[in-house]
Amino acid sequence: MFELSQDHEDFRKVVRDFAEREVEPHVAQWDRDSHFPTDLVPKMGDLGLFGLVVPEEFGGSLDPDEGGAFTSLCVAIEELGRVDQSIGITLSAGVGLGINPILSYGTDEQKQQWLPDLVAGRALAGFGLTEPDAGSDAGATRTKAVRDGDEWVVDGAKAFITNSGTDITSVVTVTARTGTDDKGRPEISAIMIPSGTPGFTVEEPYHKLGWHISDTHGLSFAGARVPATNLLGEQGSGFKQFLKTLDDGRIAISALALGLIERMLAESTAYASSRTAFGKPIAVNQGISFQLADLAVMAETSHVLTYKAAWLKDEHDAGRRSVAEVKKAAAIAKLYTSEAAVSATRIATQVFGGNGFMEEYPVARFYRDAKILEIGEGTSEVQRMVIARHLGLPTA
Amino acid sequence: MNIVVCVKYVPDAQSDRSFNEADNTTDREGVEGLLSELDEYAVEEALKIAEAGEGEVTVVTVGPEQAVNAVKKALQMGAHKAVHVSDEAIHGSDAAATSLILAEAVKKAAGDGTPDLVITGMSSTDGVMGVVPAMLAERLGLPQVTYASELTLHGDKVSIRRDGDAASETIESTLPALVSVTDQINEPRYPSFKGIMAAKKKPVETWSLADLGVDAGRVGLDAAWTKVTSFAKRPPREQGQLVTDEGDGGTKLAEFLSAQKFL
């Protein structure tokens, strides 16, 4: 069975220390100002956070003999997410959506061109799948790319793209229709659009309920031309590629949710132990202590589900587990932890009473940040679809 | 350049620190410990020197079993090898005894010679006496340049800047020397993931007093020149004074600050 190694725990200590010293003191202000801390990204790079799953030749630390690399990434996301969810998703998306597609499907030249800067935290990359009218139904993609000589000409729009508009964003990989297959279905391919490409516009940042620190934009493409060599992976395989990207992303979201739940448990326990009402700490009341017990169960369950999924993913990468096992475990972990995270922030803000509604207390920020966990990287409904598909049910 | 950095494993200031009831020594076992933050600056400075040229950084600590975690952190940051001096007889040692053990460990770590440079923090974060660097320099027969907020090497000399209340001094010494550094000298790095993995393969020697040829009778609680004879927990903080503003809040506040000699 799986368990975290001493290396993982040693690494956890360092990331926690980093998060508490470099992120925590600034995070309330950044959140208030919707400020993306560009300077923090290279520091995260120095720590090796972006290179955990990347081979050494591109600046990463992946050692195929050691194993457990994806689990390390989840530890880092959990610990950053404990301090701030936006910083956690910046890492999660930076690796899962920015680096991974290039690492998995890029040519040697593409990898050499983009990965070293991304791994060092000198640059960030985005992945544009979602469109204003196409989310989980990725087959409904409208953005199209037409081949014109040695170039692709891209037209269309993408929505909610993380890390796509920072000062250091170097490239965004987008899915686009590049034709139709034999059965008349749209052929989807992935194409890399460097920042600053004429015709590629990064829209104004969204006004979001939460994740204020995270960089999220809509993107539009009007005759954006890139070299034919910017095709990522094989033409027509964009659909397959992004499905795999999403599986990994789901486990990462679970790690983010886990960090949040643990923080809610810690905050609520401390507050309920010190806040007095009627002459006693409010934690003496079962109405409170039972809710804290529920939080503890959520934290423990989320830990087990997240790291089981991460372990399966590492085992799959080592050729010992099937992709179906990873898919199912990822969907289960994502569904449970994200729904538990929303419940956990509801409990925590309730334990904090009136103060829970005040932005001076971090539980309020986490309350706003939690909801997206049930939506991003596949909604709860999509996770239930995926899980149900693994139950061998009769089909309609 | 052969550099030895002396570091200490201290109880985490964030945790609930206490003394042992039996002998009034610091409780180092019942609490989470870590590499003293002030020593991180010493490690960082040594690494910067080593990285700028040719050099090897050896980290030395004296302490109980778990004190090895202090040198492990330094190895994760990038130090090359480590020495952990551990011996039951060391328990309760004062600064004088600690400097004796460190001196012998530094000599042995340097191959029974003297390293080019010994770097320490300005003090520990638990005992906070700040005397070990000076004592250690004396025992090693090295020039001591303490409280360095800047360190520059040129040829066979080291010069430092020491910021005092009235003036900043630049002090030069020949090498080999001992330098203690302040928390102004640099920004210590975090260990990277690669550093953590690499540290697993780095050598950590564990030496006893006998390995160093130090007589156990010269160290430990019984040999200490000073002793903590009693301790009492600080009383919990009392609730502050509430002043109700009845139109004279400003005056009352000024009176309070004046009474506390803040004004």
Side-chain angles (χ1 to χ4, degrees):
Chain A
M1 202 46 182
F2 63 96
E3 65 175 11
L4 294 182
S5 68
Q6 187 58 47
D7 296 337
H8 289 131
E9 294 304 338
D10 285 352
F11 181 53
R12 176 190 299 282
K13 270 190 203 155
V14 173
V15 182
R16 180 170 297 190
D17 192 31
F18 175 84
E20 286 176 355
R21 288 207 247 173
E22 306 290 332
V23 180
E24 180 70 51
H26 313 290
V27 78
Q29 186 69 42
W30 290 344
D31 179 76
R32 228 174 355 255
D33 299 344
S34 293
H35 169 73
F36 179 81
T38 313
D39 296 348
L40 187 72
V41 181
K43 291 183 188 173
M44 290 161 67
D46 287 344
L47 225 57
L49 304 187
F50 292 105
L52 293 166
V53 297
V54 180
E56 289 197 8
E57 58 178 313
F58 306 115
S61 60
L62 180 70
D63 180 349
D65 299 334
E66 284 278 353
F70 187 76
T71 299
S72 298
L73 178 61
C74 287
V75 168
I77 294 169
E78 177 194 341
E79 287 301 327
L80 290 177
R82 214 183 134 94
V83 169
D84 184 67
Q85 293 279 291
S86 296
I87 302 300
I89 192 61
T90 300
L91 172 63
S92 172
V95 175
L97 301 174
I99 289 172
N100 259 348
I102 301 174
L103 182 64
S104 304
Y105 307 111
T107 61
D108 275 349
E109 278 173 359
Q110 288 170 331
K111 291 183 199 176
Q112 290 294 355
Q113 182 181 358
W114 301 107
L115 290 181
D117 282 346
L118 294 172
V119 168
R122 292 187 293 267
L124 284 167
F127 188 80
L129 167 72
T130 303
E131 299 192 353
D133 295 314
S136 295
D137 177 14
T141 298
R142 292 269 172 277
T143 298
K144 64 177 180 44
V146 177
R147 187 70 182 265
D148 179 22
D150 285 342
E151 292 179 320
W152 288 105
V153 185
V154 183
D155 285 280
K158 295 289 175 182
F160 316 136
I161 310 306
T162 305
N163 292 344
S164 62
T166 73
D167 290 345
I168 55 172
T169 300
S170 57
V171 65
V172 180
T173 304
V174 299
T175 49
R177 303 167 72 128
T178 46
T180 46
D181 67 11
D182 321 340
K183 294 172 189 161
R185 290 178 305 197
E187 175 197 89
I188 308 283
S189 305
I191 295 176
M192 303 175 68
I193 322 268
S195 299
T197 300
F200 166 25
T201 307
V202 177
E203 308 291 350
E204 287 297 299
Y206 290 102
H207 294 292
K208 294 169 289 190
L209 171 65
W211 281 8
H212 286 173
I213 298 171
S214 163
D215 177 84
T216 327
H217 300 266
L219 310 176
S220 61
F221 304 93
R225 285 175 175 269
V226 296
T229 50
N230 279 27
L231 183 73
L232 185 65
E234 282 175 36
Q235 187 170 338
S237 62
F239 201 77
K240 210 169 58 197
Q241 291 173 15
F242 93 78
L243 282 178
K244 173 143 187 327
T245 299
L246 282 184
D247 286 339
D248 299 357
R250 285 171 185 167
I251 307 173
I253 292 288
S254 303
L256 196 55
L258 168 61
L260 176 147
I261 295 165
E262 286 176 336
R263 178 69 180 272
M264 291 306 96
L265 174 60
E267 291 284 339
S268 303
T269 304
Y271 189 81
S273 304
S274 64
R275 168 80 184 194
T276 57
F278 307 107
K280 285 176 182 165
I282 59 173
V284 303
N285 305 301
Q286 287 187 337
I288 299 292
S289 65
F290 280 13
Q291 297 202 70
L292 299 180
D294 288 345
L295 285 177
V297 174
M298 290 175 193
E300 182 72 21
T301 312
S302 298
H303 175 91
V304 172
L305 290 178
T306 300
Y307 286 109
K308 181 183 175 187
W311 172 75
L312 281 169
K313 152 88 179 133
D314 278 325
E315 288 291 293
H316 168 67
D317 288 348
R320 291 189 286 266
R321 291 282 179 158
S322 73
V323 70
E325 285 175 286
V326 181
K327 265 185 195 301
K328 184 181 171 194
I332 289 175
K334 202 278 188 179
L335 174 65
Y336 174 80
T337 58
S338 61
E339 295 196 339
V342 172
S343 301
T345 55
R346 187 181 50 73
I347 291 173
T349 45
Q350 192 68 20
V351 168
F352 271 68
N355 285 336
F357 200 61
M358 296 298 121
E359 290 287 354
E360 289 156 72
Y361 291 84
V363 291
R365 188 178 82 245
F366 281 94
Y367 185 88
R368 289 187 282 101
D369 285 343
K371 182 61 204 172
I372 185 62
L373 297 169
E374 293 182 323
I375 300 169
E377 300 275 349
T379 59
S380 287
E381 291 72 22
V382 165
Q383 307 310 324
R384 287 187 166 88
M385 275 168 50
V386 173
I387 296 163
R389 221 176 271 152
H390 284 85
L391 300 181
L393 302 169
T395 50
Chain B
M1 171 89 35
N2 197 354
I3 307 168
V4 175
V5 183
C6 300
V7 301
K8 187 173 184 184
Y9 182 76
V10 298
D12 187 350
Q14 311 273 338
S15 65
D16 202 10
R17 294 179 292 178
S18 66
F19 289 87
N20 290 313
E21 296 282 348
D23 59 9
N24 297 342
T25 57
T26 309
D27 180 4
R28 298 184 187 283
E29 290 176 13
V31 290
E32 274 280 300
L34 41 71
L35 169 62
S36 172
E37 280 183 28
L38 288 171
D39 293 342
E40 287 186 13
Y41 298 92
V43 175
E44 176 67 32
E45 199 60 22
L47 294 177
K48 281 169 71 178
I49 295 168
E51 285 162 2
E54 296 279 305
E56 185 176 66
V57 178
T58 306
V59 194
V60 176
T61 197
V62 176
E65 199 179 321
Q66 64 272 29
V68 73
N69 289 323
V71 291
K72 273 192 186 156
K73 170 92 180 269
L75 293 176
Q76 291 172 350
M77 288 171 73
H80 301 89
K81 57 195 176 82
V83 171
H84 174 208
V85 183
S86 188
D87 198 309
E88 286 196 3
I90 294 171
H91 175 79
S93 291
D94 61 1
T98 302
S99 68
L100 171 68
I101 302 164
L102 278 174
E104 293 308 317
V106 167
K107 280 191 261 181
K108 189 171 160 74
D112 288 323
T114 311
D116 300 304
L117 193 57
V118 179
I119 306 182
T120 71
M122 58 192 266
S123 87
S124 62
T125 56
D126 56 352
V128 209
M129 295 180 72
V131 294
V132 168
M135 290 175 165
L136 177 59
E138 201 61 26
R139 292 195 190 269
L140 291 170
L142 294 179
Q144 46 163 307
V145 271
T146 52
Y147 297 99
S149 292
E150 194 180 277
L151 186 159
T152 321
L153 288 169
H154 27 85
D156 58 352
K157 293 198 175 73
V158 57
S159 75
I160 67 133
R161 195 190 74 232
R162 183 192 290 154
D163 296 326
D165 288 340
S168 285
E169 305 162 278
T170 300
I171 301 159
E172 192 177 81
S173 159
T174 51
L175 290 174
L178 180 143
V179 180
S180 76
V181 303
T182 71
D183 57 357
Q184 300 301 307
I185 195 163
N186 56 42
E187 194 65 46
R189 70 195 67 187
Y190 295 90
S192 69
F193 185 78
K194 273 185 196 171
I196 292 171
M197 300 311 279
K200 295 198 298 177
K201 300 187 181 91
K202 292 177 180 174
V204 180
E205 301 233 32
T206 309
W207 294 338
S208 65
L209 289 176
D211 292 331
L212 296 177
V214 174
D215 177 4
R218 296 179 67 192
V219 303
L221 194 56
D222 291 339
W225 296 357
T226 58
K227 269 177 205 168
V228 176
T229 53
S230 71
F231 67 90
K233 253 198 188 312
R234 260 203 209 154
R237 238 192 270 179
E238 288 171 25
Q239 192 166 11
Q241 187 183 331
L242 284 179
V243 177
T244 312
D245 184 12
E246 289 159 349
D248 58 351
T251 312
K252 282 185 181 164
L253 190 59
E255 280 170 5
F256 174 81
L257 291 173
S258 172
Q260 303 289 325
K261 297 203 172 13
F262 285 124
L263 293 177

